[in-house]
């Protein structure tokens, strides 16, 4: 009789009594994990079916893929845009702390800064997509190639344009692109089309944000390879019926057929009114990516904190749950960002062979436990 035991003798963990998020819906079935990856139970049929070295009872809980935050500026006193003596240690601290929120992968985000900050911080950040083939791509660089008019909290004195023609400006500013997963820029800047094309060809996600671009400029950027919108509605022209600006990408008929435009939303009820969030989601539900845009103050009491090269005052912290189904909200925090980054082979799904980065939640979407590579790393 055929046997599969020779394939691997590594221990197996079986999550039982589960409701797991698979194929866009919650399904009641067990989840099997071995060697850090989700296992196809049919391959255990002959000798190992029903056998597990460890069982985790998930009665009353939901299992979803670990959350992925593509825009997080820091937290717990750590500012990713500060060139400290221990950049890796700071990233590691935030990575540990956000496990309680179900976040298992993230892109440390640097706001507009002087070149020396990028040269030091951008080349030393610890990869946070550790078991993916894109592990060497970890940073999100938000600026400095953005609009003065829509700079938001970015320091004006460090804003730059593509005055040297494009890519040369990026290298002069960032030092290297080897560690970069995403760049946010304003597509209306002269020579930006060259930059968008080159970044996309290098496999770097191009996001549109902090911009006064009209719809045609935004559509051209997408046609050149841009695929994301940084914090939709914030730091861009407001929607207008004659020219909806970047917001119009959600329903544009000029987006290539094989392209999905994703958009980040800060669903805290403050950055975006809940009605605006629902409008965006109903217009383009498969593009929603939930982001925190968290800063150094996350996890700390109100007071004075840094954001890059500036000091800001935090007077209160708020949270808001998006007005969509549980399944849609969970996919907006896991599947969609993985699709955006092109890493669904290993992250953002519970498909067989994917990394066993898991978050266990109750029906109120409170995180109860977090697993990375099948190992419990946090439990409430």
């Amino acid at each position: 009789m055929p046997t599969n035991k020779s394939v691997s003798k590594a221990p197996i963990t079986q999550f039982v009594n589960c409701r797991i998020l698979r194929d866009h819906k919650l399904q009641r079935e067990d989840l099997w994990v071995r060697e850090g990856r989700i296992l196809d139970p049919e391959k255990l049929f002959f000798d190992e079916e029903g056998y597990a070295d460890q069982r985790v009872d998930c009665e009353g809980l939901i299992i979803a893929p670990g959350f992925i935050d593509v825009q997080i500026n820091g937290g717990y006193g750590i500012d990713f845009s500060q060139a400290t003596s221990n950049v890796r240690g700071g990233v590691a601290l935030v990575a540990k702390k956000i496990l309680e929120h179900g976040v298992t992968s993230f892109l440390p985000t640097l706001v507009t800064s002087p070149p020396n900050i990028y040269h030091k911080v951008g080349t030393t950040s610890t990869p946070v997509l550790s078991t993916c083939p894109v592990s060497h791509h970890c940073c999100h660089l938000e600026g400095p190639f953005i609009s003065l008019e829509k700079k938001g909290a970015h320091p004006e004195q460090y804003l730059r344009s593509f005055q040297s023609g494009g890519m040369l400006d990026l290298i002069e500013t960032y030092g290297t692109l080897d560690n970069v997963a995403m760049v946010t820029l304003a597509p209306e800047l002269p020579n930006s089309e060259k930059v968008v094309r080159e970044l996309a060809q290098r496999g770097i996600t191009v996001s549109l944000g902090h911009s006064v671009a009209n719809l045609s400029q935004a559509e051209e950027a997408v046609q050149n390879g841009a695929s994301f919108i940084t914090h939709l509605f914030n730091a861009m022209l407001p929607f207008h019926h004659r020219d909806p600006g970047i917001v119009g990408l959600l329903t544009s008929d000029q987006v290539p057929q094989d392209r999905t435009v994703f958009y980040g939303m800060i669903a805290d009820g403050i950055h975006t009114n809940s009605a605006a969030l629902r409008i965006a989601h109903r217009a383009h539900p498969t593009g929603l990516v939930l982001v925190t845009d968290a800063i150094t103050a996350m996890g700390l009491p109100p007071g004075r904190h840094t954001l890059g090269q500036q000091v800001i005052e935090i007077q209160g912290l708020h949270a808001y749950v998006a007005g969509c189904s549980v399944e849609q909200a969970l996919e907006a925090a896991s599947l969609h960002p993985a699709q955006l980054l092109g890493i669904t082979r290993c992250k953002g799904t519970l498909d067989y062979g994917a990394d066993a980065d898991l978050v266990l939640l109750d029906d109120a979407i409170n995180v109860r436990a977090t697993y990375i590579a099948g190992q419990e790393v946090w439990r409430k």
Side-chain angles (χ1 to χ4, degrees):
M1 180 177 290
T3 177
N4 282 326
K5 282 198 170 182
S6 61
V7 176
S8 175
K9 294 183 179 180
I12 296 171
T13 300
Q14 179 185 8
F15 295 81
V16 300
N17 301 318
C18 308
R19 284 174 293 155
I20 71 172
L21 181 64
R22 182 174 284 161
D23 296 329
H24 313 296
K25 57 183 179 294
L26 294 176
Q27 305 183 40
R28 182 164 288 278
E29 59 182 272
D30 293 352
L31 190 72
W32 301 72
V33 173
R34 180 166 59 188
E35 295 182 315
R37 298 187 183 277
I38 297 171
L39 191 63
D40 182 351
E42 289 188 9
K43 295 183 178 180
L44 304 175
F45 178 80
F46 289 107
D47 289 332
E48 296 178 284
E49 183 181 31
Y51 171 80
D53 299 273
Q54 178 185 10
R55 282 186 172 85
V56 179
D57 191 346
C58 300
E59 185 64 44
L61 297 179
I62 296 167
I63 297 184
F67 300 152
I68 303 170
D69 193 349
V70 301
Q71 187 175 8
I72 174 172
N73 306 289
Y76 308 94
I78 302 299
D79 187 338
F80 295 144
S81 299
Q82 293 285 332
T84 66
S85 59
N86 188 10
V87 173
R88 294 181 186 275
V91 174
L93 173 65
V94 174
K96 181 179 180 179
K97 292 288 190 180
I98 60 178
L99 292 171
E100 66 179 282
H101 302 296
V103 178
T104 56
S105 298
F106 64 100
L107 299 183
T109 303
L110 280 67
V111 297
T112 294
S113 303
N116 67 293
I117 297 294
Y118 294 113
H119 294 181
K120 181 174 182 180
V121 177
T123 58
T124 57
S125 292
T126 302
V128 292
L129 299 171
S130 57
T131 57
C132 276
V134 295
S135 61
H136 58 291
H137 290 166
C138 81
C139 290
H140 174 182
L141 305 181
E142 186 185 0
F145 302 97
I146 59 175
S147 164
L148 173 62
E149 184 178 341
K150 294 296 181 181
K151 64 182 179 62
H154 291 237
E156 178 179 335
Q157 67 268 34
Y158 299 125
L159 299 184
R160 293 195 58 168
S161 61
F162 299 116
Q163 58 187 11
S164 298
M167 291 304 296
L168 180 60
D169 298 283
L170 262 69
I171 300 303
E172 289 176 348
T173 302
Y174 299 146
T176 178
L177 296 173
D178 292 344
N179 206 29
V180 178
M182 183 183 299
V183 172
T184 291
L185 55 78
E188 73 275 12
L189 296 179
N191 296 315
S192 66
E193 65 279 356
K194 302 176 185 176
V195 175
V196 172
R197 282 196 298 268
E198 178 66 22
L199 288 174
Q201 289 171 2
R202 294 188 183 205
I204 297 174
T205 300
V206 178
S207 184
L208 311 181
H210 289 276
S211 167
V212 294
N214 58 37
L215 178 56
S216 63
Q217 290 169 324
E219 289 171 335
E220 181 181 6
V222 170
Q223 291 161 3
N224 286 326
S227 57
F228 192 50
I229 303 172
T230 294
H231 43 55
L232 185 74
F233 297 123
N234 299 124
M236 61 187 61
L237 292 179
F239 179 89
H240 189 279
H241 65 283
R242 294 192 185 279
D243 191 331
I246 291 177
V247 178
L249 288 175
L250 272 62
T251 57
S252 171
D253 59 2
Q254 297 302 307
V255 174
Q257 290 290 325
D258 60 347
R259 184 82 49 78
T260 296
V261 175
F262 294 92
Y263 56 96
M265 296 285 285
I266 308 170
D268 60 1
I270 299 172
H271 285 83
T272 308
N273 184 277
S274 59
L277 190 153
R278 285 193 293 270
I279 289 172
H281 181 259
R282 290 175 185 176
H284 185 23
T286 59
L288 174 62
V289 173
L290 295 177
V291 300
T292 63
D293 203 12
I295 62 172
T296 182
M298 178 175 63
L300 300 178
R304 293 171 67 84
H305 304 280
T306 64
L307 176 59
Q309 313 308 304
Q310 301 190 103
V311 176
I312 60 175
E313 187 82 22
I314 300 297
Q315 298 181 344
L317 302 176
H318 305 266
Y320 173 76
V321 177
C324 52
S325 72
V326 169
E327 294 90 340
Q328 290 171 327
L330 294 176
E331 288 191 334
S334 57
L335 174 62
H336 296 176
Q339 290 173 329
L340 168 67
L341 297 173
I343 56 173
T344 52
R345 187 182 67 78
C346 53
K347 303 289 185 186
T349 77
L350 298 182
D351 293 343
Y352 304 138
D355 294 343
D357 295 351
L358 315 171
V359 55
L360 278 58
L361 311 105
D362 60 25
D363 287 331
I365 317 301
N366 297 308
V367 177
R368 295 299 180 180
T370 304
Y371 287 72
I372 290 182
Q375 300 297 311
E376 183 179 292
V377 291
W378 183 85
R379 179 171 289 272
K380 187 171 183 179

